[in-house]
Amino acid sequence: PCRVASDILREQWNKLMLNCGINQVCALHRCGYGGCQSGAPHQAEFIAAMNNAVAGVPCTIVLGNDVLLTEEIVVETGKVITLIDDGETRTISSDPFMTLFTVQAGGKLTLAGSDTGRLVIDGTSGAGQLKDAGRVVSCQGTFVLAGAEICNATSWGIGAGIIYISG
């Protein structure tokens, strides 16, 4: 299959940033990208690589596979992270369903959909029910929803909200 990129420089930088995160894990374990896919043995290390973005340096991570999170991703102060699909539909979910992303004050998280794909944050893995302080995104910094979508999630109780902004 072939597709024409509307912004080839962005695509090249996205590919570089993906490779910076995933290649080190694959080289360490002498495995292909499949070793870092959802449910694969090295997924936790790939998530750790995402968390190791350098403060003050924008980091774009292109998701080439669906991701099943087992722990919350924290975007720390000074970090600027963009998650985007690779031109296909990519889903981020968790088991159990929990807060997926926390953005600290001074941090920035962008969830983006590409021109030809979709990035979906899906709450179906844990029946999509968040109680009290439960949320998909908890943000004290900056959160941008740019073409991605959040679906199958409900939140109820005091201090609840699928996207919770404070600070």
mmCIF file of all heavy atoms in Angstrom, residues 132-162:
data_model
loop_
_atom_site.group_PDB
_atom_site.id
_atom_site.type_symbol
_atom_site.label_atom_id
_atom_site.label_comp_id
_atom_site.label_asym_id
_atom_site.label_seq_id
_atom_site.Cartn_x
_atom_site.Cartn_y
_atom_site.Cartn_z
ATOM 1 N N ASP A 132 -15.500 8.451 41.204
ATOM 2 C CA ASP A 132 -14.942 9.532 42.005
ATOM 3 C C ASP A 132 -13.841 10.263 41.259
ATOM 4 O O ASP A 132 -14.116 10.940 40.306
ATOM 5 C CB ASP A 132 -14.495 9.024 43.375
ATOM 6 C CG ASP A 132 -15.684 8.529 44.199
ATOM 7 O OD1 ASP A 132 -16.773 9.120 44.063
ATOM 8 O OD2 ASP A 132 -15.540 7.554 44.937
ATOM 9 N N ALA A 133 -12.571 10.127 41.654
ATOM 10 C CA ALA A 133 -11.501 10.911 41.040
ATOM 11 C C ALA A 133 -10.990 10.279 39.744
ATOM 12 O O ALA A 133 -9.942 10.640 39.252
ATOM 13 C CB ALA A 133 -10.353 11.096 42.026
ATOM 14 N N GLY A 134 -11.724 9.318 39.192
ATOM 15 C CA GLY A 134 -11.295 8.656 37.970
ATOM 16 C C GLY A 134 -11.384 9.574 36.764
ATOM 17 O O GLY A 134 -12.297 10.373 36.642
ATOM 18 N N ARG A 135 -10.397 9.473 35.882
ATOM 19 C CA ARG A 135 -10.375 10.290 34.673
ATOM 20 C C ARG A 135 -9.445 9.658 33.655
ATOM 21 O O ARG A 135 -8.554 8.897 34.003
ATOM 22 C CB ARG A 135 -9.946 11.704 34.987
ATOM 23 C CG ARG A 135 -8.728 11.757 35.887
ATOM 24 C CD ARG A 135 -8.555 13.088 36.571
ATOM 25 N NE ARG A 135 -9.639 13.396 37.447
ATOM 26 C CZ ARG A 135 -9.502 13.711 38.724
ATOM 27 N NH1 ARG A 135 -8.336 13.742 39.282
ATOM 28 N NH2 ARG A 135 -10.548 13.998 39.457
ATOM 29 N N VAL A 136 -9.638 9.970 32.384
ATOM 30 C CA VAL A 136 -8.736 9.503 31.342
ATOM 31 C C VAL A 136 -7.499 10.383 31.326
ATOM 32 O O VAL A 136 -6.372 9.909 31.269
ATOM 33 C CB VAL A 136 -9.436 9.502 29.962
ATOM 34 C CG1 VAL A 136 -8.447 9.180 28.853
ATOM 35 C CG2 VAL A 136 -10.587 8.498 29.961
ATOM 36 N N VAL A 137 -7.706 11.701 31.381
ATOM 37 C CA VAL A 137 -6.602 12.667 31.420
ATOM 38 C C VAL A 137 -6.796 13.558 32.634
ATOM 39 O O VAL A 137 -7.858 14.149 32.819
ATOM 40 C CB VAL A 137 -6.551 13.546 30.152
ATOM 41 C CG1 VAL A 137 -5.433 14.567 30.236
ATOM 42 C CG2 VAL A 137 -6.411 12.686 28.899
ATOM 43 N N SER A 138 -5.775 13.633 33.460
ATOM 44 C CA SER A 138 -5.754 14.558 34.589
ATOM 45 C C SER A 138 -4.669 15.582 34.292
ATOM 46 O O SER A 138 -3.501 15.221 34.143
ATOM 47 C CB SER A 138 -5.438 13.801 35.884
ATOM 48 O OG SER A 138 -5.410 14.694 36.964
ATOM 49 N N CYS A 139 -5.049 16.844 34.151
ATOM 50 C CA CYS A 139 -4.123 17.845 33.628
ATOM 51 C C CYS A 139 -4.005 19.065 34.525
ATOM 52 O O CYS A 139 -4.990 19.717 34.835
ATOM 53 C CB CYS A 139 -4.575 18.273 32.234
ATOM 54 S SG CYS A 139 -3.476 19.474 31.483
ATOM 55 N N GLN A 140 -2.768 19.348 34.917
ATOM 56 C CA GLN A 140 -2.454 20.607 35.589
ATOM 57 C C GLN A 140 -1.593 21.476 34.685
ATOM 58 O O GLN A 140 -1.226 22.577 35.049
ATOM 59 C CB GLN A 140 -1.737 20.334 36.906
ATOM 60 C CG GLN A 140 -2.605 19.623 37.906
ATOM 61 C CD GLN A 140 -1.872 19.317 39.192
ATOM 62 O OE1 GLN A 140 -0.653 19.243 39.238
ATOM 63 N NE2 GLN A 140 -2.625 19.138 40.260
ATOM 64 N N GLY A 141 -1.239 20.954 33.527
ATOM 65 C CA GLY A 141 -0.427 21.678 32.547
ATOM 66 C C GLY A 141 -1.275 22.015 31.337
ATOM 67 O O GLY A 141 -2.336 22.610 31.451
ATOM 68 N N THR A 142 -0.817 21.563 30.157
ATOM 69 C CA THR A 142 -1.517 21.827 28.906
ATOM 70 C C THR A 142 -1.893 20.502 28.253
ATOM 71 O O THR A 142 -1.056 19.608 28.116
ATOM 72 C CB THR A 142 -0.616 22.635 27.944
ATOM 73 O OG1 THR A 142 -0.225 23.850 28.580
ATOM 74 C CG2 THR A 142 -1.345 22.949 26.645
ATOM 75 N N PHE A 143 -3.165 20.393 27.848
ATOM 76 C CA PHE A 143 -3.648 19.211 27.151
ATOM 77 C C PHE A 143 -4.313 19.647 25.858
ATOM 78 O O PHE A 143 -5.135 20.550 25.851
ATOM 79 C CB PHE A 143 -4.653 18.434 28.009
ATOM 80 C CG PHE A 143 -5.309 17.298 27.277
ATOM 81 C CD1 PHE A 143 -4.567 16.200 26.876
ATOM 82 C CD2 PHE A 143 -6.651 17.333 26.984
ATOM 83 C CE1 PHE A 143 -5.165 15.156 26.186
ATOM 84 C CE2 PHE A 143 -7.265 16.294 26.301
ATOM 85 C CZ PHE A 143 -6.520 15.198 25.905
ATOM 86 N N VAL A 144 -3.913 19.004 24.735
ATOM 87 C CA VAL A 144 -4.479 19.322 23.432
ATOM 88 C C VAL A 144 -5.045 18.038 22.826
ATOM 89 O O VAL A 144 -4.327 17.043 22.708
ATOM 90 C CB VAL A 144 -3.414 19.918 22.483
ATOM 91 C CG1 VAL A 144 -4.012 20.220 21.117
ATOM 92 C CG2 VAL A 144 -2.772 21.161 23.098
ATOM 93 N N LEU A 145 -6.308 18.077 22.454
ATOM 94 C CA LEU A 145 -6.949 16.975 21.753
ATOM 95 C C LEU A 145 -7.084 17.428 20.308
ATOM 96 O O LEU A 145 -7.934 18.249 19.979
ATOM 97 C CB LEU A 145 -8.315 16.661 22.377
ATOM 98 C CG LEU A 145 -9.017 15.397 21.923
ATOM 99 C CD1 LEU A 145 -8.175 14.162 22.234
ATOM 100 C CD2 LEU A 145 -10.375 15.275 22.605
ATOM 101 N N ALA A 146 -6.187 16.924 19.446
ATOM 102 C CA ALA A 146 -6.078 17.424 18.072
ATOM 103 C C ALA A 146 -6.374 16.307 17.080
ATOM 104 O O ALA A 146 -5.469 15.728 16.488
ATOM 105 C CB ALA A 146 -4.679 17.993 17.837
ATOM 106 N N GLY A 147 -7.627 15.981 16.926
ATOM 107 C CA GLY A 147 -7.997 14.967 15.950
ATOM 108 C C GLY A 147 -8.069 13.562 16.516
ATOM 109 O O GLY A 147 -8.497 12.650 15.834
ATOM 110 N N ALA A 148 -7.626 13.355 17.743
ATOM 111 C CA ALA A 148 -7.795 12.057 18.392
ATOM 112 C C ALA A 148 -9.193 12.021 19.004
ATOM 113 O O ALA A 148 -9.880 13.036 19.059
ATOM 114 C CB ALA A 148 -6.731 11.854 19.466
ATOM 115 N N GLU A 149 -9.602 10.851 19.480
ATOM 116 C CA GLU A 149 -10.926 10.761 20.089
ATOM 117 C C GLU A 149 -10.885 9.896 21.338
ATOM 118 O O GLU A 149 -10.090 8.970 21.443
ATOM 119 C CB GLU A 149 -11.945 10.222 19.099
ATOM 120 C CG GLU A 149 -11.619 8.856 18.544
ATOM 121 C CD GLU A 149 -12.550 8.448 17.410
ATOM 122 O OE1 GLU A 149 -12.332 8.917 16.288
ATOM 123 O OE2 GLU A 149 -13.474 7.649 17.672
ATOM 124 N N ILE A 150 -11.741 10.232 22.276
ATOM 125 C CA ILE A 150 -11.914 9.452 23.502
ATOM 126 C C ILE A 150 -13.306 8.856 23.437
ATOM 127 O O ILE A 150 -14.287 9.575 23.215
ATOM 128 C CB ILE A 150 -11.746 10.338 24.748
ATOM 129 C CG1 ILE A 150 -10.333 10.920 24.801
ATOM 130 C CG2 ILE A 150 -12.052 9.547 26.016
ATOM 131 C CD1 ILE A 150 -10.112 11.954 25.886
ATOM 132 N N CYS A 151 -13.401 7.527 23.616
ATOM 133 C CA CYS A 151 -14.704 6.887 23.499
ATOM 134 C C CYS A 151 -14.866 5.806 24.558
ATOM 135 O O CYS A 151 -13.904 5.354 25.172
ATOM 136 C CB CYS A 151 -14.886 6.294 22.105
ATOM 137 S SG CYS A 151 -13.749 4.968 21.714
ATOM 138 N N ASN A 152 -16.114 5.406 24.777
ATOM 139 C CA ASN A 152 -16.467 4.306 25.673
ATOM 140 C C ASN A 152 -16.002 4.528 27.106
ATOM 141 O O ASN A 152 -15.570 3.590 27.777
ATOM 142 C CB ASN A 152 -15.924 2.975 25.141
ATOM 143 C CG ASN A 152 -16.453 2.663 23.767
ATOM 144 O OD1 ASN A 152 -17.631 2.851 23.494
ATOM 145 N ND2 ASN A 152 -15.581 2.216 22.892
ATOM 146 N N ALA A 153 -16.066 5.756 27.581
ATOM 147 C CA ALA A 153 -15.661 6.052 28.952
ATOM 148 C C ALA A 153 -16.717 6.946 29.601
ATOM 149 O O ALA A 153 -17.183 7.898 28.999
ATOM 150 C CB ALA A 153 -14.302 6.750 28.972
ATOM 151 N N THR A 154 -17.087 6.608 30.829
ATOM 152 C CA THR A 154 -17.981 7.449 31.606
ATOM 153 C C THR A 154 -17.337 7.685 32.960
ATOM 154 O O THR A 154 -16.519 6.891 33.423
ATOM 155 C CB THR A 154 -19.369 6.807 31.808
ATOM 156 O OG1 THR A 154 -19.199 5.543 32.459
ATOM 157 C CG2 THR A 154 -20.069 6.597 30.490
ATOM 158 N N SER A 155 -17.697 8.777 33.572
ATOM 159 C CA SER A 155 -17.115 9.141 34.855
ATOM 160 C C SER A 155 -18.223 9.681 35.744
ATOM 161 O O SER A 155 -19.078 10.424 35.285
ATOM 162 C CB SER A 155 -16.032 10.200 34.627
ATOM 163 O OG SER A 155 -15.414 10.545 35.829
ATOM 164 N N TRP A 156 -18.207 9.305 37.010
ATOM 165 C CA TRP A 156 -19.240 9.777 37.916
ATOM 166 C C TRP A 156 -18.663 9.935 39.316
ATOM 167 O O TRP A 156 -17.687 9.302 39.670
ATOM 168 C CB TRP A 156 -20.436 8.846 37.921
ATOM 169 C CG TRP A 156 -20.118 7.438 38.334
ATOM 170 C CD1 TRP A 156 -19.608 6.448 37.559
ATOM 171 C CD2 TRP A 156 -20.247 6.878 39.638
ATOM 172 N NE1 TRP A 156 -19.424 5.309 38.284
ATOM 173 C CE2 TRP A 156 -19.804 5.541 39.571
ATOM 174 C CE3 TRP A 156 -20.679 7.367 40.861
ATOM 175 C CZ2 TRP A 156 -19.792 4.690 40.674
ATOM 176 C CZ3 TRP A 156 -20.676 6.515 41.946
ATOM 177 C CH2 TRP A 156 -20.240 5.193 41.850
ATOM 178 N N GLY A 157 -19.251 10.808 40.075
ATOM 179 C CA GLY A 157 -18.844 11.019 41.456
ATOM 180 C C GLY A 157 -18.146 12.358 41.641
ATOM 181 O O GLY A 157 -17.913 13.111 40.707
ATOM 182 N N ILE A 158 -17.789 12.636 42.870
ATOM 183 C CA ILE A 158 -17.153 13.904 43.243
ATOM 184 C C ILE A 158 -15.749 13.962 42.648
ATOM 185 O O ILE A 158 -14.967 13.031 42.783
ATOM 186 C CB ILE A 158 -17.100 14.044 44.774
ATOM 187 C CG1 ILE A 158 -18.517 14.063 45.321
ATOM 188 C CG2 ILE A 158 -16.309 15.279 45.188
ATOM 189 C CD1 ILE A 158 -18.604 14.000 46.811
ATOM 190 N N GLY A 159 -15.416 15.066 41.991
ATOM 191 C CA GLY A 159 -14.090 15.258 41.418
ATOM 192 C C GLY A 159 -13.832 14.436 40.174
ATOM 193 O O GLY A 159 -12.695 14.300 39.748
ATOM 194 N N ALA A 160 -14.872 13.884 39.583
ATOM 195 C CA ALA A 160 -14.702 13.026 38.414
ATOM 196 C C ALA A 160 -14.799 13.838 37.141
ATOM 197 O O ALA A 160 -15.303 14.958 37.129
ATOM 198 C CB ALA A 160 -15.756 11.920 38.425
ATOM 199 N N GLY A 161 -14.333 13.284 36.063
ATOM 200 C CA GLY A 161 -14.435 13.881 34.741
ATOM 201 C C GLY A 161 -13.497 13.143 33.813
ATOM 202 O O GLY A 161 -12.380 12.816 34.193
ATOM 203 N N ILE A 162 -13.924 12.855 32.613
ATOM 204 C CA ILE A 162 -13.088 12.114 31.674
ATOM 205 C C ILE A 162 -11.797 12.895 31.413
ATOM 206 O O ILE A 162 -10.709 12.348 31.401
ATOM 207 C CB ILE A 162 -13.860 11.818 30.372
ATOM 208 C CG1 ILE A 162 -15.065 10.935 30.664
ATOM 209 C CG2 ILE A 162 -12.946 11.173 29.337
ATOM 210 C CD1 ILE A 162 -14.746 9.611 31.348
#
